[in-house]
Amino acid sequence: MRILYLNHVAEISGAEMSLLSLLGGLDKARYEPVCIVPGPGPLTERLLKVSPQVRYAPFVRFKRTRNPLLLFAYANLLPVTVKPLVRYLVRNEVHLIHSNSTIAHLHGGLAARQMGLPCVWHVRDLVPLGWWARVYARWTHKIIAISEAVRTHLQRCHIPAQKIAVIPNGVDLSVFAPRSSSLRPSLGFTEAHFVFGMVAQLVPWKGHAFFLRAAAQVAQTIPNARFLLVGDDLFGDHPAYVQGLLRLTESLGLEASVRFLGFREDIVDVLASLDALVLPSFNEPFGRVLVEAMAMAKPVIATNVGGPPEIVDHEINGLLVPVQDVSALADAMRRLAQDRAWSEHLGKAGRAKAEREFDIALTVQRTQEVYEELRGKG
Ligand code: UDP
Ligand code: GLC
């Protein structure tokens, strides 16, 4: 079965890391992937290692808007960007389209309809879709939701339950595995420091400001605590937010204990250098980085909303805290830093859960079951 995967950006965040690991594990004797991305970029380079064919086609990065001029521009642009996809499908035999995001599905769903092909819409966000949800659902044969939280969100948009399969993202447990890191000295940290890390795009809903404010509280009683922020404003949409975080670090007097590392390719090494991972998002659909850290036997702290409570079990493999609550986050961070043995115990339980529930082999198997269900449909 030849499957056309569509991804609307060439940068790498959780959706792309998840696509890369899915393609890496796909049974290539049964499924032949072809990928379409907007152009060269970090994703494209890594896709070439797991997919024999990577093609380019334009995608429109739609933003939610009520601006009539923008809506008019989008309505005119979409047919233009769907055309190259349809042209590709006319010239090449493809049996199924797998759209790796909602924006990709806007293009993939339309192309699939024109060509009478089965189509999978991979839903990785909790963005309100309004009445568009039902339109998108009509263009798709099966929806993959990355968490129960996403499934509930879709059902609230009146999407029929039988169309939705919940398939959590998985990680390669041999890559994301407990190991030592030699990164600390280059960051100015020693083994005596307790290092908290946040690995997330620099976008407001990830809650970096809460991490920094909690860090300021923690630093008052735990002088050996250190704080890493890893990730970037990938699409350049939030320059003021990034500047604000730098100013906040300064005004909290945290320059000596906080490091901003920007986007890192060597995320396994970065995670290995941490004592605990923190993800204080306001409404996280899944939170792949939690699973990566758990697979590396790191204790995690996450907010109790969206996907994370399906991943993290409070006081078993990590801690869950209420959203946008600086004191609760600081308390949780202190509990870990003050009891290294317990922290390590939580980390080991995290690895065990990752082995049970987030092995990429499971994700691949469940996704292939969806492909089999759709074989020959259109
Ligand atoms: N990541 C990375 N380098 C960075 C920051 C993040 O490779 O500097 C990866 C991280 O390992 C994870 C993904 O980007 O696989 C982020 O996924 P997640 O689902 O946590 O967040 P998203 O950005 O997709 O909302
Ligand atoms: C999206 C979500 C994130 C999820 C990722 C992979 O980027 O924000 O929570 O882990 O997709 O599915």
Side-chain angles (χ1 to χ4, degrees), residues 13-16 18 122-125 146 169 201 205-206 283-289:
S13 69
E16 292 73 28
S18 302
H122 213 132
V123 184
R124 300 181 177 278
D125 44 51
I146 53 172
N169 295 312
Q201 291 184 55
W205 64 271
K206 290 285 185 182
N283 202 12
E284 185 74 57
F286 183 84
R288 180 181 174 84
V289 75

Side-chain angles (χ1 to χ4, degrees), residues 11 27 58 65 93 99 107 134 141 149 156 175 207 326 341 375:
E11 287 78 12
D27 177 357
T65 180
E93 192 182 24
S99 307
H107 302 76
R134 271 176 284 174
H141 293 72
R156 279 201 197 115
V175 175
V326 173
R375 197 182 270 275

Side-chain angles (χ1 to χ4, degrees), residues 156-350:
R156 279 201 197 115
C157 300
H158 308 287
I159 291 182
Q162 72 274 13
K163 260 207 176 164
I164 309 170
V166 175
I167 307 182
N169 295 312
V171 300
D172 183 336
L173 294 166
S174 62
V175 175
F176 290 92
R179 68 173 180 80
S180 58
S181 164
S182 52
L183 218 62
R184 279 199 184 202
S186 66
L187 302 170
F189 300 158
T190 69
E191 287 312 309
H193 288 127
F194 194 97
V195 183
F196 291 98
M198 215 189 129
V199 176
Q201 291 184 55
L202 297 181
V203 295
W205 64 271
K206 290 285 185 182
H208 296 86
F210 288 84
F211 179 58
L212 289 173
R213 288 185 203 283
Q217 290 190 12
V218 172
Q220 282 170 10
T221 47
I222 303 181
N224 71 332
R226 293 292 180 274
F227 312 93
L228 270 188
L229 289 94
V230 185
D232 207 344
D233 175 18
L234 276 186
F235 306 103
D237 290 339
H238 301 279
Y241 178 67
V242 178
Q243 287 309 315
L245 291 177
L246 298 174
R247 276 200 304 274
L248 182 63
T249 307
E250 228 178 271
S251 67
L252 292 169
L254 286 173
E255 298 99 317
S257 52
V258 167
R259 299 266 180 290
F260 283 83
L261 297 192
F263 183 85
R264 298 285 296 222
E265 292 274 350
D266 56 343
I267 211 66
V268 175
D269 222 19
V270 171
L271 289 172
S273 74
L274 303 180
D275 289 302
L277 180 101
V278 181
L279 190 65
S281 316
F282 303 163
N283 202 12
E284 185 74 57
F286 183 84
R288 180 181 174 84
V289 75
L290 293 170
V291 172
E292 293 174 348
M294 286 162 69
M296 297 189 68
K298 302 294 175 183
V300 295
I301 301 176
T303 35
N304 199 3
V305 284
E310 296 166 38
I311 300 170
V312 183
D313 304 296
H314 186 61
E315 296 183 344
I316 292 175
N317 45 41
L319 296 172
L320 290 166
V321 293
V323 77
Q324 300 190 14
D325 184 338
V326 173
S327 301
L329 180 57
D331 279 346
M333 289 163 77
R334 269 191 294 260
R335 285 180 75 189
L336 294 189
Q338 281 164 345
D339 191 344
R340 266 188 196 270
W342 185 55
S343 261
E344 281 165 22
H345 172 78
L346 294 177
K348 285 194 183 122

